Amino acid sequence: MKVEIWSDFACPFCYIGKRNFEKGLKEFGKEVEIEYRSFELDPSAPTQYDQTMDEILAEKYGMTVEKAKSMNDQVSAQAKTVGLDYHFDTMVPTNTFDAHRLLQFAKTKGTSENVKEALLYSYFTESKNLSDHETLATIAAANGLDKTETLEMLASDAFAVNVRDDEQTGASLGIQGVPFFVINEKYGVSGAQPAASFTEVLNKVWKEDNPLTMLNKGDSDGECCSGGSCSC
């Protein structure tokens, strides 16, 4: 079974959804191949803002900064329920394209899951700038990648095509928001669903892929009990 996860590093619900999925996967208890896919909430986002996260949200939705802060506080409270610590007051809003290129690079080195987690933690908890190449390379080096090689990759346009391919694939599937989970290229789950919902859909897909085969149906002469089992 394979699960592809489209998400963005600037999406607070993507990190919450990741934790819920991981909990649901643990309850599922079977081996699953996971691939993280790239999705940018705002591809045109600048690398530097002169506004806080609260101010950006207020401007985007035409609300007061106080209302925006209240909404971000609610998201932080939701994150705490799954063991995450968000700091919207010091968070550094930025463009996430290079972070996605790093994720694509990490895929080729077999460290994408560790790098994905580290980037999310760095953004939401440590308030790191995910468009800064030195910051990205330091995160990479702490998770099994060579720092010099990472800096060279970031200085080029390497893996830009991979990011765009993921985004185009997501668009062809009708993905307009994240997190979005695609299971066996057949089932889609949108949003930071509860862990139980992920367990349920994983079990459903697994049962479809592994139908029960009856090896001995027993006697079928109309009796309620035959062949070592009872049906009535």
Side-chain angles (χ1 to χ4, degrees):
M1 185 184 300
K2 181 176 181 179
V3 179
E4 298 166 274
I5 306 173
W6 273 262
S7 63
D8 192 13
F9 300 106
C11 166
F13 292 104
C14 289
Y15 203 5
I16 294 170
K18 183 176 183 293
R19 279 294 182 273
N20 285 343
F21 173 75
E22 289 167 347
K23 183 177 179 181
L25 182 61
K26 184 176 181 180
E27 289 297 318
F28 174 59
K30 298 178 179 64
E31 186 174 347
V32 172
E33 178 187 355
I34 299 171
E35 181 174 4
Y36 290 103
R37 299 282 199 171
S38 295
F39 185 103
E40 295 172 276
L41 288 172
D42 184 5
S44 65
T47 56
Q48 291 185 328
Y49 284 84
D50 58 3
Q51 297 169 295
T52 66
M53 292 297 296
D54 294 336
E55 291 168 342
I56 292 171
L57 184 64
E59 182 178 294
K60 181 177 181 179
Y61 293 106
M63 63 179 68
T64 66
V65 174
E66 290 73 19
K67 175 63 175 176
K69 184 180 187 311
S70 176
M71 291 178 63
N72 282 332
D73 286 345
Q74 291 175 22
V75 175
S76 293
Q78 184 175 344
K80 282 187 180 298
T81 66
V82 294
L84 301 176
D85 190 16
Y86 286 4
H87 297 284
F88 281 102
D89 55 336
T90 58
M91 212 170 284
V92 182
T94 191
N95 187 289
T96 60
F97 184 68
D98 282 346
H100 281 291
R101 290 202 297 127
L102 174 56
L103 176 67
Q104 298 289 342
F105 174 54
K107 285 184 186 182
T108 68
K109 304 294 185 178
T111 62
S112 60
E113 290 196 30
N114 288 342
V115 169
K116 176 72 174 182
E117 174 67 25
L119 287 168
L120 287 166
Y121 182 82
S122 295
Y123 184 77
F124 287 105
T125 301
E126 296 184 322
S127 300
K128 297 291 182 66
N129 183 347
L130 294 193
S131 65
D132 179 75
H133 288 187
E134 181 66 27
T135 297
L136 291 173
T138 299
I139 294 170
N143 289 276
L145 298 176
D146 181 82
K147 185 173 183 178
T148 300
E149 186 180 4
T150 300
L151 284 170
E152 291 174 351
M153 182 278 294
L154 290 169
S156 71
D157 62 354
F159 299 98
V161 171
N162 304 70
V163 175
R164 297 305 181 211
D165 283 348
D166 273 3
E167 293 174 338
Q168 290 174 8
T169 300
S172 71
L173 293 172
I175 299 174
Q176 297 180 333
V178 287
F180 198 95
F181 305 77
V182 176
I183 304 172
N184 279 2
E185 299 183 337
K186 183 177 181 181
Y187 291 96
V189 178
S190 178
Q193 299 294 326
S197 296
F198 287 115
T199 303
E200 181 180 358
V201 72
L202 289 170
N203 278 317
K204 174 182 173 64
V205 177
W206 188 86
K207 288 178 181 178
E208 288 185 358
D209 288 347
N210 299 274
L212 182 65
T213 300
M214 297 302 297
L215 299 178
N216 184 357
K217 295 183 180 180
D219 299 327
S220 57
D221 57 3
E223 296 181 4
C224 286
C225 295
S226 62
S229 65
C230 293
S231 60
C232 55

